[in-house]
PDB file of all heavy atoms in Angstrom:
ATOM      1  N   ARG B   1     130.062  63.009  95.991  1.00  0.00           N
ATOM      2  CA  ARG B   1     130.705  61.973  95.221  1.00  0.00           C
ATOM      3  C   ARG B   1     131.499  60.937  96.128  1.00  0.00           C
ATOM      4  O   ARG B   1     131.556  59.782  95.895  1.00  0.00           O
ATOM      5  CB  ARG B   1     131.649  62.575  94.190  1.00  0.00           C
ATOM      6  CG  ARG B   1     132.290  61.601  93.243  1.00  0.00           C
ATOM      7  CD  ARG B   1     133.215  62.269  92.246  1.00  0.00           C
ATOM      8  NE  ARG B   1     132.509  63.165  91.333  1.00  0.00           N
ATOM      9  CZ  ARG B   1     132.650  64.456  91.343  1.00  0.00           C
ATOM     10  NH1 ARG B   1     133.428  65.070  92.213  1.00  0.00           N
ATOM     11  NH2 ARG B   1     131.948  65.209  90.459  1.00  0.00           N
ATOM     12  N   HIS B   2     132.004  61.496  97.228  1.00  0.00           N
ATOM     13  CA  HIS B   2     132.805  60.692  98.125  1.00  0.00           C
ATOM     14  C   HIS B   2     131.999  59.575  98.795  1.00  0.00           C
ATOM     15  O   HIS B   2     132.576  58.590  99.310  1.00  0.00           O
ATOM     16  CB  HIS B   2     133.412  61.575  99.227  1.00  0.00           C
ATOM     17  CG  HIS B   2     132.382  62.189 100.140  1.00  0.00           C
ATOM     18  ND1 HIS B   2     131.625  63.272  99.764  1.00  0.00           N
ATOM     19  CD2 HIS B   2     132.041  61.896 101.430  1.00  0.00           C
ATOM     20  CE1 HIS B   2     130.816  63.626 100.770  1.00  0.00           C
ATOM     21  NE2 HIS B   2     131.037  62.848 101.782  1.00  0.00           N
ATOM     22  N   LEU B   3     130.657  59.666  98.736  1.00  0.00           N
ATOM     23  CA  LEU B   3     129.859  58.574  99.338  1.00  0.00           C
ATOM     24  C   LEU B   3     129.784  57.374  98.468  1.00  0.00           C
ATOM     25  O   LEU B   3     129.312  56.331  98.872  1.00  0.00           O
ATOM     26  CB  LEU B   3     128.472  59.105  99.675  1.00  0.00           C
ATOM     27  CG  LEU B   3     128.413  60.273 100.678  1.00  0.00           C
ATOM     28  CD1 LEU B   3     126.981  60.771 100.871  1.00  0.00           C
ATOM     29  CD2 LEU B   3     128.950  59.739 102.060  1.00  0.00           C
ATOM     30  N   GLY B   4     130.159  57.509  97.209  1.00  0.00           N
ATOM     31  CA  GLY B   4     130.326  56.328  96.287  1.00  0.00           C
ATOM     32  C   GLY B   4     129.043  55.901  95.591  1.00  0.00           C
ATOM     33  O   GLY B   4     128.984  54.757  95.127  1.00  0.00           O
ATOM     34  N   HIS B   5     128.055  56.720  95.547  1.00  0.00           N
ATOM     35  CA  HIS B   5     126.817  56.350  94.895  1.00  0.00           C
ATOM     36  C   HIS B   5     126.894  56.532  93.358  1.00  0.00           C
ATOM     37  O   HIS B   5     127.720  57.323  92.853  1.00  0.00           O
ATOM     38  CB  HIS B   5     125.613  57.156  95.426  1.00  0.00           C
ATOM     39  CG  HIS B   5     125.327  56.880  96.858  1.00  0.00           C
ATOM     40  ND1 HIS B   5     124.919  55.647  97.298  1.00  0.00           N
ATOM     41  CD2 HIS B   5     125.392  57.626  97.974  1.00  0.00           C
ATOM     42  CE1 HIS B   5     124.725  55.658  98.562  1.00  0.00           C
ATOM     43  NE2 HIS B   5     124.995  56.865  99.027  1.00  0.00           N
ATOM     44  N   GLY B   6     126.021  55.836  92.639  1.00  0.00           N
ATOM     45  CA  GLY B   6     125.956  56.009  91.218  1.00  0.00           C
ATOM     46  C   GLY B   6     124.521  55.909  90.725  1.00  0.00           C
ATOM     47  O   GLY B   6     123.578  55.652  91.494  1.00  0.00           O
ATOM     48  N   PRO B   7     124.345  56.117  89.428  1.00  0.00           N
ATOM     49  CA  PRO B   7     122.961  56.050  88.844  1.00  0.00           C
ATOM     50  C   PRO B   7     122.388  54.676  89.094  1.00  0.00           C
ATOM     51  O   PRO B   7     123.028  53.644  89.080  1.00  0.00           O
ATOM     52  CB  PRO B   7     123.230  56.274  87.324  1.00  0.00           C
ATOM     53  CG  PRO B   7     124.473  57.031  87.281  1.00  0.00           C
ATOM     54  CD  PRO B   7     125.353  56.508  88.396  1.00  0.00           C
ATOM     55  N   GLY B   8     121.085  54.718  89.457  1.00  0.00           N
ATOM     56  CA  GLY B   8     120.373  53.518  89.781  1.00  0.00           C
ATOM     57  C   GLY B   8     120.322  53.124  91.211  1.00  0.00           C
ATOM     58  O   GLY B   8     119.532  52.235  91.636  1.00  0.00           O
ATOM     59  N   ASP B   9     121.127  53.818  92.055  1.00  0.00           N
ATOM     60  CA  ASP B   9     121.067  53.475  93.524  1.00  0.00           C
ATOM     61  C   ASP B   9     119.766  53.818  94.164  1.00  0.00           C
ATOM     62  O   ASP B   9     119.291  53.096  95.063  1.00  0.00           O
ATOM     63  CB  ASP B   9     122.228  54.184  94.190  1.00  0.00           C
ATOM     64  CG  ASP B   9     123.567  53.579  93.977  1.00  0.00           C
ATOM     65  OD1 ASP B   9     123.616  52.569  93.228  1.00  0.00           O
ATOM     66  OD2 ASP B   9     124.603  54.096  94.474  1.00  0.00           O
ATOM     67  N   PHE B  10     119.180  54.914  93.798  1.00  0.00           N
ATOM     68  CA  PHE B  10     117.880  55.358  94.322  1.00  0.00           C
ATOM     69  C   PHE B  10     116.946  55.718  93.190  1.00  0.00           C
ATOM     70  O   PHE B  10     116.794  56.876  92.826  1.00  0.00           O
ATOM     71  CB  PHE B  10     118.090  56.537  95.279  1.00  0.00           C
ATOM     72  CG  PHE B  10     119.034  56.212  96.417  1.00  0.00           C
ATOM     73  CD1 PHE B  10     120.341  56.663  96.374  1.00  0.00           C
ATOM     74  CD2 PHE B  10     118.658  55.463  97.473  1.00  0.00           C
ATOM     75  CE1 PHE B  10     121.268  56.359  97.367  1.00  0.00           C
ATOM     76  CE2 PHE B  10     119.509  55.154  98.500  1.00  0.00           C
ATOM     77  CZ  PHE B  10     120.851  55.611  98.459  1.00  0.00           C
ATOM     78  N   PRO B  11     116.346  54.726  92.588  1.00  0.00           N
ATOM     79  CA  PRO B  11     115.617  54.878  91.323  1.00  0.00           C
ATOM     80  C   PRO B  11     114.426  55.872  91.378  1.00  0.00           C
ATOM     81  O   PRO B  11     114.148  56.548  90.428  1.00  0.00           O
ATOM     82  CB  PRO B  11     115.180  53.483  90.957  1.00  0.00           C
ATOM     83  CG  PRO B  11     115.290  52.689  92.166  1.00  0.00           C
ATOM     84  CD  PRO B  11     116.381  53.299  93.014  1.00  0.00           C
ATOM     85  N   VAL B  12     113.698  55.865  92.517  1.00  0.00           N
ATOM     86  CA  VAL B  12     112.580  56.763  92.611  1.00  0.00           C
ATOM     87  C   VAL B  12     113.051  58.261  92.601  1.00  0.00           C
ATOM     88  O   VAL B  12     112.487  59.087  91.936  1.00  0.00           O
ATOM     89  CB  VAL B  12     111.710  56.475  93.841  1.00  0.00           C
ATOM     90  CG1 VAL B  12     110.549  57.456  93.969  1.00  0.00           C
ATOM     91  CG2 VAL B  12     111.177  55.020  93.766  1.00  0.00           C
ATOM     92  N   ALA B  13     114.082  58.479  93.389  1.00  0.00           N
ATOM     93  CA  ALA B  13     114.606  59.854  93.462  1.00  0.00           C
ATOM     94  C   ALA B  13     115.093  60.310  92.092  1.00  0.00           C
ATOM     95  O   ALA B  13     114.861  61.445  91.674  1.00  0.00           O
ATOM     96  CB  ALA B  13     115.782  59.933  94.459  1.00  0.00           C
ATOM     97  N   GLU B  14     115.705  59.382  91.329  1.00  0.00           N
ATOM     98  CA  GLU B  14     116.189  59.742  90.035  1.00  0.00           C
ATOM     99  C   GLU B  14     114.986  59.991  89.058  1.00  0.00           C
ATOM    100  O   GLU B  14     115.021  60.869  88.190  1.00  0.00           O
ATOM    101  CB  GLU B  14     117.104  58.636  89.521  1.00  0.00           C
ATOM    102  CG  GLU B  14     118.398  58.548  90.257  1.00  0.00           C
ATOM    103  CD  GLU B  14     119.247  57.284  89.996  1.00  0.00           C
ATOM    104  OE1 GLU B  14     119.216  56.863  88.808  1.00  0.00           O
ATOM    105  OE2 GLU B  14     119.826  56.739  90.928  1.00  0.00           O
ATOM    106  N   ARG B  15     113.958  59.157  89.197  1.00  0.00           N
ATOM    107  CA  ARG B  15     112.791  59.359  88.328  1.00  0.00           C
ATOM    108  C   ARG B  15     112.090  60.734  88.583  1.00  0.00           C
ATOM    109  O   ARG B  15     111.716  61.441  87.697  1.00  0.00           O
ATOM    110  CB  ARG B  15     111.773  58.211  88.507  1.00  0.00           C
ATOM    111  CG  ARG B  15     110.564  58.320  87.645  1.00  0.00           C
ATOM    112  CD  ARG B  15     109.575  57.186  87.904  1.00  0.00           C
ATOM    113  NE  ARG B  15     108.369  57.362  87.041  1.00  0.00           N
ATOM    114  CZ  ARG B  15     107.342  56.561  87.140  1.00  0.00           C
ATOM    115  NH1 ARG B  15     107.351  55.551  88.034  1.00  0.00           N
ATOM    116  NH2 ARG B  15     106.261  56.784  86.402  1.00  0.00           N
ATOM    117  N   LEU B  16     111.975  61.060  89.869  1.00  0.00           N
ATOM    118  CA  LEU B  16     111.385  62.352  90.237  1.00  0.00           C
ATOM    119  C   LEU B  16     112.188  63.505  89.654  1.00  0.00           C
ATOM    120  O   LEU B  16     111.627  64.506  89.251  1.00  0.00           O
ATOM    121  CB  LEU B  16     111.279  62.442  91.722  1.00  0.00           C
ATOM    122  CG  LEU B  16     110.217  61.506  92.389  1.00  0.00           C
ATOM    123  CD1 LEU B  16     110.389  61.570  93.912  1.00  0.00           C
ATOM    124  CD2 LEU B  16     108.798  61.913  92.008  1.00  0.00           C
ATOM    125  N   SER B  17     113.521  63.387  89.660  1.00  0.00           N
ATOM    126  CA  SER B  17     114.366  64.440  89.150  1.00  0.00           C
ATOM    127  C   SER B  17     114.145  64.618  87.628  1.00  0.00           C
ATOM    128  O   SER B  17     114.403  65.689  87.104  1.00  0.00           O
ATOM    129  CB  SER B  17     115.832  64.111  89.403  1.00  0.00           C
ATOM    130  OG  SER B  17     116.145  64.223  90.769  1.00  0.00           O
ATOM    131  N   ARG B  18     113.655  63.577  86.979  1.00  0.00           N
ATOM    132  CA  ARG B  18     113.399  63.720  85.538  1.00  0.00           C
ATOM    133  C   ARG B  18     111.988  64.244  85.224  1.00  0.00           C
ATOM    134  O   ARG B  18     111.718  64.755  84.160  1.00  0.00           O
ATOM    135  CB  ARG B  18     113.566  62.337  84.847  1.00  0.00           C
ATOM    136  CG  ARG B  18     114.992  61.771  84.868  1.00  0.00           C
ATOM    137  CD  ARG B  18     115.106  60.526  83.941  1.00  0.00           C
ATOM    138  NE  ARG B  18     114.228  59.445  84.404  1.00  0.00           N
ATOM    139  CZ  ARG B  18     114.619  58.449  85.204  1.00  0.00           C
ATOM    140  NH1 ARG B  18     115.847  58.475  85.703  1.00  0.00           N
ATOM    141  NH2 ARG B  18     113.824  57.476  85.531  1.00  0.00           N
ATOM    142  N   GLU B  19     111.051  64.066  86.203  1.00  0.00           N
ATOM    143  CA  GLU B  19     109.669  64.311  85.937  1.00  0.00           C
ATOM    144  C   GLU B  19     109.057  65.524  86.670  1.00  0.00           C
ATOM    145  O   GLU B  19     108.053  66.070  86.202  1.00  0.00           O
ATOM    146  CB  GLU B  19     108.802  63.096  86.273  1.00  0.00           C
ATOM    147  CG  GLU B  19     109.149  61.853  85.449  1.00  0.00           C
ATOM    148  CD  GLU B  19     108.282  60.656  85.830  1.00  0.00           C
ATOM    149  OE1 GLU B  19     107.442  60.792  86.747  1.00  0.00           O
ATOM    150  OE2 GLU B  19     108.466  59.596  85.194  1.00  0.00           O
ATOM    151  N   CYS B  20     109.639  65.936  87.782  1.00  0.00           N
ATOM    152  CA  CYS B  20     109.004  66.964  88.582  1.00  0.00           C
ATOM    153  C   CYS B  20     109.067  68.322  87.930  1.00  0.00           C
ATOM    154  O   CYS B  20     110.132  68.728  87.405  1.00  0.00           O
ATOM    155  CB  CYS B  20     109.631  67.020  89.963  1.00  0.00           C
ATOM    156  SG  CYS B  20     109.052  65.748  91.123  1.00  0.00           S
ATOM    157  N   LEU B  21     107.910  69.003  87.957  1.00  0.00           N
ATOM    158  CA  LEU B  21     107.860  70.357  87.404  1.00  0.00           C
ATOM    159  C   LEU B  21     106.920  71.159  88.279  1.00  0.00           C
ATOM    160  O   LEU B  21     105.783  70.808  88.574  1.00  0.00           O
ATOM    161  CB  LEU B  21     107.331  70.343  85.993  1.00  0.00           C
ATOM    162  CG  LEU B  21     107.291  71.707  85.259  1.00  0.00           C
ATOM    163  CD1 LEU B  21     108.714  72.196  84.952  1.00  0.00           C
ATOM    164  CD2 LEU B  21     106.493  71.586  83.981  1.00  0.00           C
ATOM    165  N   ALA B  22     107.404  72.368  88.737  1.00  0.00           N
ATOM    166  CA  ALA B  22     106.678  73.219  89.593  1.00  0.00           C
ATOM    167  C   ALA B  22     105.985  74.309  88.754  1.00  0.00           C
ATOM    168  O   ALA B  22     106.669  75.043  87.967  1.00  0.00           O
ATOM    169  CB  ALA B  22     107.554  73.865  90.630  1.00  0.00           C
ATOM    170  N   LEU B  23     104.659  74.444  88.912  1.00  0.00           N
ATOM    171  CA  LEU B  23     103.873  75.439  88.189  1.00  0.00           C
ATOM    172  C   LEU B  23     103.630  76.657  89.088  1.00  0.00           C
ATOM    173  O   LEU B  23     103.691  76.601  90.322  1.00  0.00           O
ATOM    174  CB  LEU B  23     102.551  74.804  87.786  1.00  0.00           C
ATOM    175  CG  LEU B  23     102.601  73.481  87.052  1.00  0.00           C
ATOM    176  CD1 LEU B  23     101.181  73.027  86.676  1.00  0.00           C
ATOM    177  CD2 LEU B  23     103.441  73.625  85.756  1.00  0.00           C
ATOM    178  N   PRO B  24     103.430  77.791  88.470  1.00  0.00           N
ATOM    179  CA  PRO B  24     103.201  79.046  89.266  1.00  0.00           C
ATOM    180  C   PRO B  24     102.035  78.875  90.248  1.00  0.00           C
ATOM    181  O   PRO B  24     100.942  78.458  89.879  1.00  0.00           O
ATOM    182  CB  PRO B  24     102.929  80.099  88.230  1.00  0.00           C
ATOM    183  CG  PRO B  24     103.539  79.566  86.950  1.00  0.00           C
ATOM    184  CD  PRO B  24     103.343  78.065  87.032  1.00  0.00           C
ATOM    185  N   LEU B  25     102.291  79.196  91.529  1.00  0.00           N
ATOM    186  CA  LEU B  25     101.245  79.178  92.537  1.00  0.00           C
ATOM    187  C   LEU B  25     101.657  80.032  93.679  1.00  0.00           C
ATOM    188  O   LEU B  25     102.735  79.856  94.294  1.00  0.00           O
ATOM    189  CB  LEU B  25     100.963  77.733  93.061  1.00  0.00           C
ATOM    190  CG  LEU B  25      99.826  77.576  94.062  1.00  0.00           C
ATOM    191  CD1 LEU B  25      99.144  76.229  93.904  1.00  0.00           C
ATOM    192  CD2 LEU B  25     100.380  77.761  95.518  1.00  0.00           C
ATOM    193  N   HIS B  26     100.877  81.076  93.988  1.00  0.00           N
ATOM    194  CA  HIS B  26     101.038  81.888  95.165  1.00  0.00           C
ATOM    195  C   HIS B  26      99.697  82.611  95.404  1.00  0.00           C
ATOM    196  O   HIS B  26      98.884  82.685  94.449  1.00  0.00           O
ATOM    197  CB  HIS B  26     102.189  82.851  95.040  1.00  0.00           C
ATOM    198  CG  HIS B  26     102.090  83.753  93.865  1.00  0.00           C
ATOM    199  ND1 HIS B  26     101.305  84.887  93.808  1.00  0.00           N
ATOM    200  CD2 HIS B  26     102.719  83.730  92.660  1.00  0.00           C
ATOM    201  CE1 HIS B  26     101.446  85.506  92.666  1.00  0.00           C
ATOM    202  NE2 HIS B  26     102.284  84.782  91.946  1.00  0.00           N
ATOM    203  N   PRO B  27      99.459  83.137  96.622  1.00  0.00           N
ATOM    204  CA  PRO B  27      98.121  83.645  96.944  1.00  0.00           C
ATOM    205  C   PRO B  27      97.674  84.820  96.049  1.00  0.00           C
ATOM    206  O   PRO B  27      96.472  85.051  95.861  1.00  0.00           O
ATOM    207  CB  PRO B  27      98.245  84.064  98.369  1.00  0.00           C
ATOM    208  CG  PRO B  27      99.299  83.192  98.961  1.00  0.00           C
ATOM    209  CD  PRO B  27     100.280  83.009  97.842  1.00  0.00           C
ATOM    210  N   GLU B  28      98.663  85.543  95.480  1.00  0.00           N
ATOM    211  CA  GLU B  28      98.295  86.705  94.644  1.00  0.00           C
ATOM    212  C   GLU B  28      98.239  86.390  93.171  1.00  0.00           C
ATOM    213  O   GLU B  28      98.213  87.316  92.363  1.00  0.00           O
ATOM    214  CB  GLU B  28      99.313  87.846  94.938  1.00  0.00           C
ATOM    215  CG  GLU B  28      99.289  88.320  96.419  1.00  0.00           C
ATOM    216  CD  GLU B  28     100.062  87.428  97.353  1.00  0.00           C
ATOM    217  OE1 GLU B  28     100.849  86.584  96.895  1.00  0.00           O
ATOM    218  OE2 GLU B  28      99.829  87.583  98.547  1.00  0.00           O
ATOM    219  N   LEU B  29      98.226  85.126  92.824  1.00  0.00           N
ATOM    220  CA  LEU B  29      98.191  84.731  91.405  1.00  0.00           C
ATOM    221  C   LEU B  29      97.005  85.357  90.726  1.00  0.00           C
ATOM    222  O   LEU B  29      95.856  85.186  91.220  1.00  0.00           O
ATOM    223  CB  LEU B  29      98.141  83.207  91.321  1.00  0.00           C
ATOM    224  CG  LEU B  29      98.620  82.571  90.006  1.00  0.00           C
ATOM    225  CD1 LEU B  29     100.121  82.743  89.841  1.00  0.00           C
ATOM    226  CD2 LEU B  29      98.248  81.072  90.006  1.00  0.00           C
ATOM    227  N   PRO B  30      97.169  86.082  89.614  1.00  0.00           N
ATOM    228  CA  PRO B  30      96.049  86.777  88.986  1.00  0.00           C
ATOM    229  C   PRO B  30      94.942  85.752  88.558  1.00  0.00           C
ATOM    230  O   PRO B  30      95.246  84.601  88.172  1.00  0.00           O
ATOM    231  CB  PRO B  30      96.658  87.436  87.779  1.00  0.00           C
ATOM    232  CG  PRO B  30      98.115  87.645  88.142  1.00  0.00           C
ATOM    233  CD  PRO B  30      98.445  86.463  89.020  1.00  0.00           C
ATOM    234  N   ALA B  31      93.715  86.185  88.574  1.00  0.00           N
ATOM    235  CA  ALA B  31      92.589  85.336  88.164  1.00  0.00           C
ATOM    236  C   ALA B  31      92.799  84.893  86.675  1.00  0.00           C
ATOM    237  O   ALA B  31      93.266  85.643  85.871  1.00  0.00           O
ATOM    238  CB  ALA B  31      91.313  86.134  88.293  1.00  0.00           C
ATOM    239  N   GLY B  32      92.480  83.617  86.473  1.00  0.00           N
ATOM    240  CA  GLY B  32      92.600  83.081  85.117  1.00  0.00           C
ATOM    241  C   GLY B  32      93.954  82.447  84.839  1.00  0.00           C
ATOM    242  O   GLY B  32      94.104  81.772  83.795  1.00  0.00           O
ATOM    243  N   THR B  33      94.924  82.603  85.717  1.00  0.00           N
ATOM    244  CA  THR B  33      96.236  82.097  85.453  1.00  0.00           C
ATOM    245  C   THR B  33      96.274  80.577  85.455  1.00  0.00           C
ATOM    246  O   THR B  33      96.865  79.960  84.583  1.00  0.00           O
ATOM    247  CB  THR B  33      97.268  82.627  86.504  1.00  0.00           C
ATOM    248  OG1 THR B  33      97.287  84.029  86.433  1.00  0.00           O
ATOM    249  CG2 THR B  33      98.660  82.097  86.183  1.00  0.00           C
ATOM    250  N   VAL B  34      95.608  79.914  86.397  1.00  0.00           N
ATOM    251  CA  VAL B  34      95.619  78.451  86.478  1.00  0.00           C
ATOM    252  C   VAL B  34      95.004  77.885  85.186  1.00  0.00           C
ATOM    253  O   VAL B  34      95.529  76.978  84.584  1.00  0.00           O
ATOM    254  CB  VAL B  34      94.843  77.979  87.712  1.00  0.00           C
ATOM    255  CG1 VAL B  34      94.699  76.490  87.634  1.00  0.00           C
ATOM    256  CG2 VAL B  34      95.611  78.347  88.957  1.00  0.00           C
ATOM    257  N   GLU B  35      93.881  78.501  84.725  1.00  0.00           N
ATOM    258  CA  GLU B  35      93.245  77.993  83.519  1.00  0.00           C
ATOM    259  C   GLU B  35      94.184  78.149  82.337  1.00  0.00           C
ATOM    260  O   GLU B  35      94.255  77.274  81.489  1.00  0.00           O
ATOM    261  CB  GLU B  35      91.953  78.787  83.250  1.00  0.00           C
ATOM    262  CG  GLU B  35      90.815  78.539  84.258  1.00  0.00           C
ATOM    263  CD  GLU B  35      90.881  79.506  85.468  1.00  0.00           C
ATOM    264  OE1 GLU B  35      92.004  80.065  85.755  1.00  0.00           O
ATOM    265  OE2 GLU B  35      89.835  79.656  86.140  1.00  0.00           O
ATOM    266  N   ARG B  36      94.884  79.235  82.272  1.00  0.00           N
ATOM    267  CA  ARG B  36      95.807  79.484  81.094  1.00  0.00           C
ATOM    268  C   ARG B  36      96.959  78.444  81.132  1.00  0.00           C
ATOM    269  O   ARG B  36      97.305  77.883  80.111  1.00  0.00           O
ATOM    270  CB  ARG B  36      96.358  80.875  81.195  1.00  0.00           C
ATOM    271  CG  ARG B  36      97.348  81.164  80.073  1.00  0.00           C
ATOM    272  CD  ARG B  36      98.003  82.521  80.195  1.00  0.00           C
ATOM    273  NE  ARG B  36      99.161  82.655  79.287  1.00  0.00           N
ATOM    274  CZ  ARG B  36     100.021  83.639  79.331  1.00  0.00           C
ATOM    275  NH1 ARG B  36      99.867  84.595  80.223  1.00  0.00           N
ATOM    276  NH2 ARG B  36     101.063  83.672  78.489  1.00  0.00           N
ATOM    277  N   VAL B  37      97.538  78.237  82.331  1.00  0.00           N
ATOM    278  CA  VAL B  37      98.660  77.289  82.378  1.00  0.00           C
ATOM    279  C   VAL B  37      98.159  75.873  82.024  1.00  0.00           C
ATOM    280  O   VAL B  37      98.834  75.176  81.231  1.00  0.00           O
ATOM    281  CB  VAL B  37      99.215  77.292  83.841  1.00  0.00           C
ATOM    282  CG1 VAL B  37     100.262  76.177  84.001  1.00  0.00           C
ATOM    283  CG2 VAL B  37      99.888  78.666  84.171  1.00  0.00           C
TER     284      VAL B  37
END
């Protein structure tokens, strides 16, 4: 907060924070999981 920034200063970063979603992914993911998700 001490840096003095506010909403709208970095619009792409703010948009990504509203839209990004991580889906399950790792090498041992059971078969069929990606299709189900």
Side-chain angles (χ1 to χ4, degrees):
R1 186 180 293 114
H2 65 284
L3 296 175
H5 294 297
D9 284 359
F10 302 101
V12 176
E14 293 169 35
R15 181 181 178 186
L16 290 171
S17 291
R18 294 190 299 268
E19 297 181 0
C20 280
L21 184 68
L23 307 180
L25 183 149
H26 56 80
E28 297 79 16
L29 203 67
T33 301
V34 171
E35 292 90 339
R36 178 184 168 191
V37 172

